[in-house]
Amino acid sequence: MGKPKIRHLPNHRLPHGLPLPHLGAPDKLPLIQYCASPRTMLNHHTRLLRPDLTSCASHAADDAVAEAVAHAVAISPECYHPSHPSFARARLHLPITSTTATSCDGGGAGIPSLHSTRTPAFLASFIDTLPLLTLNPHLAPALSDPTTFAASPSPTLRAVATAFTLITSDPYFHDLSLDPSRSSIYKALTDDPSDPDLPRIPSIARLHTAANQHAQRALTLVSHRRYATQIYSNPNLPQPLRAAMVHAGQTGAGTHLYILGSDPSLRLTDHEYKAAWWYRFPLLPYTGLLFHRTCARGCTSHGPRSPFSARTPPHFLDGSHLLYCGANGTLSRHNRILRTIVK
């Protein structure tokens, strides 16, 4: 399909839309991520139609993607229900890596939510086609002054005004000015302030000047940052899970999710990939992966000589015990490295 991560997939066709059972999770997840990306036909529909017309359909599309992910990694689809306490569904739509080293907006699976991107997609499509639409003598009178869109009898133009206000009133919209690759669209949609120390002022009257500047990429980023803030600031998000999400969003932490190496010896097996996915998100306990695991030999509470019942509670199966047990060699090595750095 022209993308490096797709070229190395096994050369199999999908007859009549039936699943391919011989494809493992390392192949299925990149395909799901690719199909859910903004370059697909689903995004085409959200660009063409008002957000209120695609709300239900985009929710259904997100549910279908979550169900496909659940089957690919051998987990109950209930774990990806929006109300599940694991926050697995919310993390599904977070970026893999945080935007900056100090921001908390990563640690997810990098699968975009069609529902959250439908508004910037619609507005960006209108911005890109507005110069062409104004060439039509029948449409030009209604489109010549975007400041009148909010009171227009056309529901489409009113939706444009609503989407513009929603996105440009977001504090993250002004962060576009700090990104060299997106500052041009930011300047195209804003006016100079009277005070140079103040941020620029969004102006819908400038829609005519913003075409062909990758508007969807920039406006979608604003939506993603707002979505991540809502997740990370959710009072129901447990602090240990929040800390795990921050660590999972560090540079390189999720690189393995969608890399398909051309050398089979370098690729994760289906079992290894599912284990990595379960640990990252953390969807534990998963007895198929952790049934035989114990702590180090010197551990008296969860080591090989401890009763089996001591190795089955969630605080051991979720991996947290290994983070603080002094008998664990990984922790000892971490402490030695830390002492060496301090010296």
Side-chain angles (χ1 to χ4, degrees):
M1 302 181 189
K3 296 295 179 182
K5 63 181 178 182
I6 299 296
R7 290 176 189 151
H8 302 305
L9 284 173
N11 187 21
H12 298 301
R13 300 184 64 183
L14 194 63
H16 307 296
L18 297 178
L20 297 178
H22 48 275
L23 285 184
D27 295 326
K28 293 178 181 177
L29 266 298
L31 278 176
I32 294 173
Q33 195 264 354
Y34 181 87
C35 293
S37 64
R39 65 176 67 90
T40 59
M41 184 58 70
L42 292 177
N43 179 69
H44 176 69
H45 291 297
T46 58
R47 285 176 61 89
L48 284 178
L49 301 174
R50 305 193 313 266
D52 60 297
L53 298 179
T54 56
S55 179
C56 294
S58 58
H59 266 307
D62 287 346
D63 291 341
V65 169
E67 184 177 357
V69 171
H71 286 297
V73 296
I75 183 176
S76 170
E78 295 179 0
C79 292
Y80 281 108
H81 191 275
S83 61
H84 196 271
S86 67
F87 281 81
R89 176 62 174 270
R91 296 186 64 187
L92 193 67
H93 303 308
L94 286 176
I96 297 176
T97 305
S98 295
T99 307
T100 64
T102 58
S103 62
C104 295
D105 56 359
I111 298 179
S113 166
L114 193 69
H115 187 265
S116 64
T117 59
R118 75 191 196 285
T119 298
F122 168 74
L123 179 59
S125 174
F126 186 87
I127 289 174
D128 290 336
T129 57
L130 184 57
L132 182 62
L133 294 175
T134 54
L135 296 179
N136 187 314
H138 301 287
L139 298 178
L143 302 176
S144 59
D145 185 7
T147 60
T148 64
F149 287 178
S152 173
S154 168
T156 299
L157 296 185
R158 294 199 302 271
V160 170
T162 301
F164 181 87
T165 303
L166 176 66
I167 295 175
T168 58
S169 62
D170 194 302
Y172 291 115
F173 173 74
H174 296 284
D175 289 348
L176 298 178
S177 62
L178 306 177
D179 189 338
S181 63
R182 299 177 174 91
S183 58
S184 60
I185 183 67
Y186 174 77
K187 292 180 180 179
L189 294 175
T190 55
D191 289 327
D192 293 325
S194 56
D195 186 344
D197 295 331
L198 296 177
R200 295 174 63 89
I201 303 172
S203 174
I204 194 173
R206 296 179 60 85
L207 284 184
H208 292 281
T209 65
N212 302 318
Q213 298 191 50
H214 304 290
Q216 182 167 340
R217 293 183 182 180
L219 301 182
T220 299
L221 179 61
V222 177
S223 176
H224 284 169
R225 294 292 301 276
R226 181 176 66 253
Y227 175 79
T229 300
Q230 293 172 349
I231 300 303
Y232 272 90
S233 60
N234 190 324
N236 296 321
L237 181 67
Q239 185 60 29
L241 179 56
R242 186 182 188 279
M245 291 166 57
V246 172
H247 285 285
Q250 295 181 5
T251 302
T255 306
H256 65 280
L257 292 180
Y258 304 118
I259 288 183
L260 298 176
S262 56
D263 186 350
S265 65
L266 301 178
R267 298 184 59 187
L268 295 176
T269 65
D270 184 71
H271 186 79
E272 293 167 341
Y273 188 94
K274 289 178 180 177
W277 187 280
W278 279 71
Y279 274 116
R280 177 179 173 85
F281 285 107
L283 303 168
L284 301 171
Y286 181 30
T287 55
L289 297 173
L290 300 173
F291 185 82
H292 62 285
R293 289 293 302 273
T294 66
C295 192
R297 183 175 300 177
C299 178
T300 58
S301 61
H302 298 84
R305 297 181 182 179
S306 65
F308 175 75
S309 59
R311 303 194 296 270
T312 55
H315 72 274
F316 176 74
L317 295 179
D318 66 6
S320 59
H321 171 80
L322 301 178
L323 297 178
Y324 59 79
C325 180
N328 181 23
T330 303
L331 180 61
S332 300
R333 175 178 177 272
H334 172 273
N335 292 341
R336 289 197 302 271
I337 294 175
L338 180 60
R339 286 192 293 268
T340 302
I341 294 175
V342 171
K343 293 180 181 178

